[in-house]
Amino acid sequence: MTVSEYLKQNTAEYHDAAEKLFNSEKIFNRTFTLEDYKKIIHTNYLMLLNSEEEIFSKLSDRFSEKLQLDDRKKLSLIEEDLKSLELKSSTASHELILANESEALGAMYVIEGSTLGGNVIAKQLSKTDGFDEVTFNFFGCYHENTGAMWKDFKEVLDTEITEPHYDDVLSGAKKLYTFLLNVN
């Protein structure tokens, strides 16, 4: 089993809890409101605010090029969404501590997965009444490259992470999911 399969299998309950928290079913039945969207953006903003620097600081140079790390920073993009939605920015308030590089990659798995789902969300909401003026900077961050960026990320994980490190990667993913689910 690859590490990406291991993560998907062992974080399914967290993923489902996040979908429930954000009322994801309302996105597809077109009852999702601008207030619902503001909640999802604000929560993801707090997650990135409190994790992005920690994640990137734990990753070694070998991952910088392989993962195109400069293209994967999303805090400034979600800050643009905050401004357009007239939401207030804040300062990091919860310290997310990642023990090592494997945990950082696990946390990054959660964020990269959110952009994959976010791309679907952006497409769906752009067809929903009340979202004409919304910019999807965070959820649309990779535009037409979303699938390729996700595939590349998983490929690097599956190639670089050996089985003895699976539990550390899972620990990082669980830490970030737990943070996301409890940030409000």
Side-chain angles (χ1 to χ4, degrees):
M1 177 183 303
T2 64
V3 71
S4 61
E5 292 167 335
Y6 182 77
L7 286 168
K8 184 175 183 175
Q9 193 174 71
N10 288 286
T11 60
E13 66 189 84
Y14 291 90
H15 180 269
D16 293 348
E19 286 196 340
K20 187 174 180 187
L21 174 70
F22 295 131
N23 296 312
S24 296
E25 76 284 349
K26 290 171 68 177
I27 294 168
F28 297 99
N29 67 24
R30 299 203 178 172
T31 58
F32 201 74
T33 66
L34 196 55
E35 288 308 309
D36 292 325
Y37 182 69
K38 286 179 178 181
K39 177 184 177 184
I40 202 172
I41 289 297
H42 189 257
T43 303
N44 276 281
Y45 163 69
L46 291 173
M47 174 188 68
L48 287 170
L49 179 69
N50 290 282
S51 68
E52 191 171 84
E53 189 176 320
E54 174 72 0
I55 291 167
F56 282 77
S57 72
K58 290 282 193 277
L59 297 176
S60 62
D61 290 344
R62 74 185 175 119
F63 284 109
S64 189
E65 192 174 322
K66 287 180 180 183
L67 288 175
Q68 303 156 291
L69 289 183
D70 288 341
D71 296 337
R72 294 188 187 271
K73 292 186 177 171
K74 298 171 187 68
L75 183 58
S76 64
L77 297 172
I78 204 163
E79 285 172 339
E80 289 176 37
D81 288 333
L82 280 184
K83 280 184 202 142
S84 72
L85 293 167
E86 299 176 0
L87 295 172
K88 290 183 173 34
S89 59
S90 43
T91 54
S93 57
H94 302 57
E95 205 167 329
L96 183 78
I97 308 278
L98 300 169
N100 53 44
E101 186 170 64
S102 293
E103 280 197 356
L105 289 167
M108 197 169 178
Y109 170 86
V110 176
I111 294 171
E112 290 302 310
S114 73
T115 59
L116 188 67
N119 192 47
V120 174
I121 291 168
K123 282 181 181 169
Q124 193 65 32
L125 291 180
S126 66
K127 300 179 218 165
T128 303
D129 288 340
F131 287 87
D132 306 338
E133 304 296 316
V134 172
T135 57
F136 296 102
N137 295 300
F138 171 61
F139 282 140
C141 66
Y142 297 143
H143 308 286
E144 68 279 353
N145 297 322
T146 302
M149 290 293 279
W150 174 244
K151 186 175 166 269
D152 291 348
F153 177 75
K154 283 194 338 178
E155 198 171 286
V156 170
L157 270 189
D158 291 341
T159 305
E160 299 291 324
I161 303 299
T162 57
E163 207 164 323
H165 298 282
Y166 282 19
D167 285 339
D168 279 349
V169 177
L170 178 60
S171 172
K174 285 182 174 181
K175 279 182 183 181
L176 196 59
Y177 265 126
T178 300
F179 181 86
L180 180 67
L181 294 168
N182 295 294
V183 75
N184 286 340

